[in-house]
Amino acid sequence: MAEQPSEEHRPQDTSLPDDVWEKFVQDSERDIRASAPKEPSARARMVTERLRAMDEAQAARTGGGKRRWGGKRPPVRPARPEGWRTGPAWQEREGRTSRRRKVWSAVGVVAAAALALVAVNPSAALSWLPGGLGEGSGTAGDAQASAPPLAPETARPSAAPSAAPAGVATREKPFAGSPAARWESGADAIRLPGVKAVDGVPAARIEDALKGTKRFLVAANLDRAVLEGGEPQKALGLVDPLEADYLSELRAALREPTEKNDPVWTFTRFDPAEVELVGDVRIRGHMTVEALDESPGKAMIKADYTFVYPMARVGGGDEVSRAVVRRSVEVQVVDAARFRATDGHIWVAGSYSDIANDDCRQGDGVIRPQFLSGRGTSPEPSGKARDPYDRSKELKADAGEEECGLATRT
């Protein structure tokens, strides 16, 4: 306990009057009492400990998956003016080798948030807990399941989503404990923005490219055959044949994945002999259209979406591990009267990816969600911690992030 002023601590040669010194002592005692730390109530301690135990169980069940961060940009070649046969070499943006990132659960963050909520609204906090501690009825999973879906995202959010009620994912409730519990599912979650002409590119061409971009995202990330490791023929067929080198690179990655050319940076693929999808795929994101400064007659579609996949081991078992995949795809649209492009196809100008809850192996061609039994069998993390649900920052390659790293939740 902090020492209080007293007569024995009063300076011997002071000119302070007795009444002034007495007031100083009283004020000091009052300030010490006000600033002394207060022990949380027994009820608050009970809530915190139970939430901490639940979160530790969640971390153990998910197995501490890994995280790939950054992805890579394919070569970017501007559309050529009609009639070009030869001429200046096509420009290329810098590519980048993709790396894995590690994912762990943040027990301390959940406990701190629980204490804050208990202090503000104890009834609401207790109603989240399974086992009847609170006044409400139902469990945290039930509360999440009954909560209305979030309004569609129309622009980049300003912050990461808040912590979801604690819960452990199962086959029956694969999104328990995840912000994705309130996200929309399926292709309908990928909405197109309003259509208008942009910098000389007619509205009709913008609309066609938006629809093509959506079809590409669906074919690359939602097609069940592709998720099970099949060839993404629909997605490949949507890419402009004029991007011959890019298509050749993608096909080479599918035939023989390597560390520098792994198909999972474009297509979401799992090993069907190991894992199976046990729920719908939750999606959140948006598209925008903007003019390109380089010349009139060109526009860029930017599609930024996060996909959450609940996966379980093949052959049974109730343990569910979620993979969180974020894709940022840029599609260039041109005025056909001025530039050459193939109708009915899209020109993929670039892409970035972030894959959370995957092992740290390079170039295996599939995403491998981590489970409890697989914990500790792959490289240890060495990069920064990131939240795979945080969509407030632009997804782009980070030259300083090339190794297995940490994330806060899946």
Side-chain angles (χ1 to χ4, degrees):
M1 180 179 292
E3 189 175 8
Q4 299 179 359
S6 64
E7 288 299 326
E8 66 183 31
H9 292 101
R10 180 174 180 173
Q12 296 302 312
D13 50 347
T14 179
S15 58
L16 289 176
D18 290 342
D19 59 335
V20 174
W21 176 253
E22 183 176 356
K23 186 175 186 306
F24 167 74
V25 172
Q26 292 173 350
D27 291 345
S28 298
E29 291 176 346
R30 183 181 65 251
D31 291 342
I32 290 170
R33 286 194 298 270
S35 62
K38 297 179 175 59
E39 183 179 359
S41 67
R43 197 181 198 200
R45 290 197 304 271
M46 178 175 59
V47 171
T48 303
E49 288 303 318
R50 188 156 185 179
L51 284 173
R52 181 180 291 111
M54 290 168 60
D55 197 65
E56 288 172 349
Q58 172 87 3
R61 290 176 68 87
T62 58
K66 276 65 176 179
R67 186 175 188 211
R68 310 181 184 190
W69 167 256
K72 74 175 181 181
R73 266 195 186 288
V76 178
R77 302 179 173 90
R80 296 176 292 173
E82 181 62 36
W84 276 22
R85 296 293 180 268
T86 60
W90 284 357
Q91 300 172 2
E92 294 189 3
R93 296 182 189 174
E94 182 181 1
R96 181 175 177 276
T97 302
S98 55
R99 300 298 185 203
R100 275 67 164 169
R101 300 290 178 247
K102 187 155 186 176
V103 174
W104 297 99
S105 177
V107 177
V109 173
V110 173
L115 272 179
L117 182 61
V118 170
V120 175
N121 191 343
S123 297
L126 292 170
S127 67
W128 283 0
L129 296 176
L133 279 177
E135 296 176 0
S137 59
T139 66
D142 295 333
Q144 277 190 285
S146 62
L150 295 176
E153 182 180 291
T154 58
R156 192 176 308 285
S158 59
S162 57
V168 176
T170 64
R171 287 177 179 263
E172 291 72 29
K173 296 179 180 179
F175 293 100
S178 168
R182 295 186 61 197
W183 291 7
E184 295 178 295
S185 62
D188 290 343
I190 302 177
R191 290 181 169 81
L192 305 185
V195 177
K196 63 180 180 180
V198 176
D199 199 20
V201 183
R205 289 196 67 85
I206 296 290
E207 183 176 16
D208 287 345
L210 285 168
K211 291 179 178 178
T213 302
K214 175 176 178 175
R215 289 195 294 270
F216 181 81
L217 288 169
V218 170
N221 300 284
L222 294 179
D223 187 306
R224 183 57 70 101
V226 176
L227 296 182
E228 293 177 353
E231 292 290 313
Q233 294 300 332
K234 292 180 182 178
L236 292 170
L238 288 166
V239 178
D240 195 318
L242 294 173
E243 291 194 274
D245 289 349
Y246 176 43
L247 285 168
S248 177
E249 179 184 336
L250 291 178
R251 292 190 173 106
L254 291 163
R255 287 195 307 270
E256 189 174 352
T258 66
E259 292 185 13
K260 293 184 178 181
N261 192 18
D262 195 322
V264 297
W265 293 115
T266 305
F267 311 110
T268 303
R269 309 168 80 232
F270 301 93
D271 186 344
E274 295 181 359
V275 295
E276 59 184 349
L277 188 67
V278 293
D280 52 11
V281 180
R282 299 297 171 91
I283 305 169
R284 190 153 183 81
H286 66 279
M287 288 191 208
T288 58
V289 185
E290 58 189 52
L292 288 176
D293 295 333
E294 56 190 69
S295 65
K298 294 181 181 179
M300 186 73 80
I301 294 171
K302 294 185 177 181
D304 184 344
Y305 287 87
T306 300
F307 303 83
V308 185
Y309 304 87
M311 310 299 294
R313 290 191 181 280
V314 170
D318 199 42
E319 183 181 1
V320 170
S321 183
R322 292 183 291 261
V324 184
V325 179
R326 184 179 174 188
R327 307 284 191 195
S328 177
V329 179
E330 297 178 351
V331 172
Q332 187 178 130
V333 196
V334 298
D335 177 11
R338 289 184 257 186
F339 299 97
R340 183 182 176 192
T342 307
D343 289 340
H345 296 76
I346 62 172
W347 191 284
V348 180
S351 64
Y352 293 119
S353 296
D354 177 285
I355 303 174
N357 195 16
D358 173 50
D359 65 14
C360 281
R361 283 180 283 178
Q362 304 276 10
D364 50 9
V366 294
I367 300 169
R368 300 185 188 277
Q370 297 296 279
F371 295 85
L372 176 61
S373 59
R375 190 170 182 173
T377 61
S378 51
E380 287 302 311
S382 57
K384 297 178 182 178
R386 297 181 187 269
D387 181 356
Y389 287 98
D390 186 356
R391 297 182 41 77
S392 64
K393 300 176 181 63
E394 183 181 5
L395 185 62
K396 60 182 179 180
D398 184 345
E401 289 290 316
E402 295 187 350
E403 297 180 357
C404 183
L406 290 159
T408 57
R409 53 183 170 176
T410 61

